[in-house]
Amino acid sequence: MNRSARTALSALAVALLAAGTLAGCATATDRAGSGTPSDSSQPDTELATDLELEAAWLDSGRMIGIISQGSSTCVPTAGDVSFANGVIEVEFVEPEADTPCTRDLVPRVTLVATPEGVDPTQDVEIRVTGDGYVGDTDLDGVAGLALGGETDYQPSAGWADDDDIVILTWGSSSCVPVIESVEATSATEATVTFVTPPADQVCTMDMAPRGVVAQIPDLDDDGETFVILQGAEFDNVRVPIIGND
């Protein structure tokens, strides 16, 4: 084989190798989306953690308590809240990254002011989004609730499911009442006793809504039910529980 033939064959081999390399790159690019680079900054709800949620009406329908599971000392707060087409959208805002959190897993309450346009006598869907998670739950309407007017700053309670109720109280935001015990004293009434705080406890002088979860498995779910609050700042306060399961 002469030099010209060898040169032609070498050029052909290089051309074929280059073509194969380009084809391999094109195939890899096509699998990634026809040459369109992926944008990792876009949220992917399919990869988000799915929260288990429950919800209850509070304060005559002026407020909603959303129960999620997590650290008892790092409860998310409500950010942006909106309502459209029967759905309440709630953004959960987590505490600052340097906030020390206990590593327990308990039901805790995020309080949300009921947005304008919601009729608490009608069923609504609640959708929650947050940093890496999503969740939704349904909240049944309750006859007799009427959104509007100013709160009377009195305790209230609402059913979230068969066993869980949310209790709303008002007072210092830095001194949230802690439940000591829960006891069903009849088929329609339960007593919730709060821990008596130490005499030297320092509390901010604000007036804020505070929510806690009480599990009461033995109450009848037909007709009116009540919870009696005692201990701490409460002296046998009888509160009707809004709704039922």
Side-chain angles (χ1 to χ4, degrees):
M1 183 180 296
N2 58 34
R3 180 178 299 179
S4 297
R6 286 197 300 270
T7 302
L9 288 175
S10 298
L12 177 61
V14 170
L16 290 174
L17 179 60
T21 303
L22 290 174
C25 291
T27 302
T29 303
D30 289 342
R31 285 197 296 266
S34 300
T36 302
S38 61
D39 183 359
S40 60
S41 66
Q42 295 298 318
D44 189 347
T45 55
E46 292 184 358
L47 299 178
T49 301
D50 191 12
L51 290 180
E52 292 187 9
L53 303 174
E54 300 168 4
W57 296 109
L58 301 165
D59 198 26
S60 298
R62 302 182 190 93
M63 192 170 291
I64 297 169
I66 302 176
I67 301 177
S68 62
Q69 302 286 329
S71 171
S72 59
T73 58
C74 288
V75 183
T77 57
D80 293 335
V81 180
S82 61
F83 173 71
N85 301 319
V87 178
I88 299 174
E89 300 270 2
V90 181
E91 176 196 20
F92 270 12
V93 178
E94 297 292 334
E96 296 294 333
D98 59 353
T99 303
C101 302
T102 54
R103 300 186 65 181
D104 53 349
L105 184 65
V106 299
R108 69 272 172 91
V109 183
T110 299
L111 297 173
V112 180
T114 305
E116 185 177 355
V118 173
D119 181 356
T121 67
Q122 303 297 314
D123 299 352
V124 294
E125 180 182 354
I126 298 173
R127 295 177 186 166
V128 168
T129 57
D131 185 11
Y133 53 77
V134 295
D136 66 85
T137 188
D138 296 322
L139 180 55
D140 295 339
V142 176
L145 296 183
L147 179 62
E150 295 294 327
T151 181
D152 55 10
Y153 298 101
Q154 295 301 308
S156 62
W159 281 108
D161 75 349
D162 294 353
D163 297 336
D164 293 343
I165 68 169
V166 177
I167 300 173
L168 169 68
T169 63
W170 297 84
S172 172
S173 59
S174 63
C175 292
V176 178
V178 176
I179 294 177
E180 180 178 275
S181 64
V182 179
E183 180 184 5
T185 53
S186 72
T188 59
E189 195 168 274
T191 297
V192 175
T193 303
F194 292 98
V195 174
T196 299
D200 59 352
Q201 184 178 36
V202 178
C203 301
T204 54
M205 295 294 291
D206 56 345
M207 178 66 73
R210 307 156 319 170
V212 294
V213 180
Q215 296 181 319
I216 311 175
D218 300 321
L219 287 190
D220 191 346
D221 56 14
D222 294 324
E224 286 189 300
T225 50
F226 298 86
V227 61
I228 309 297
L229 308 183
Q230 65 179 21
E233 68 228 55
F234 307 104
D235 185 13
N236 295 322
V237 180
R238 191 169 189 257
V239 179
I241 306 175
I242 298 172
N244 52 44
D245 69 331

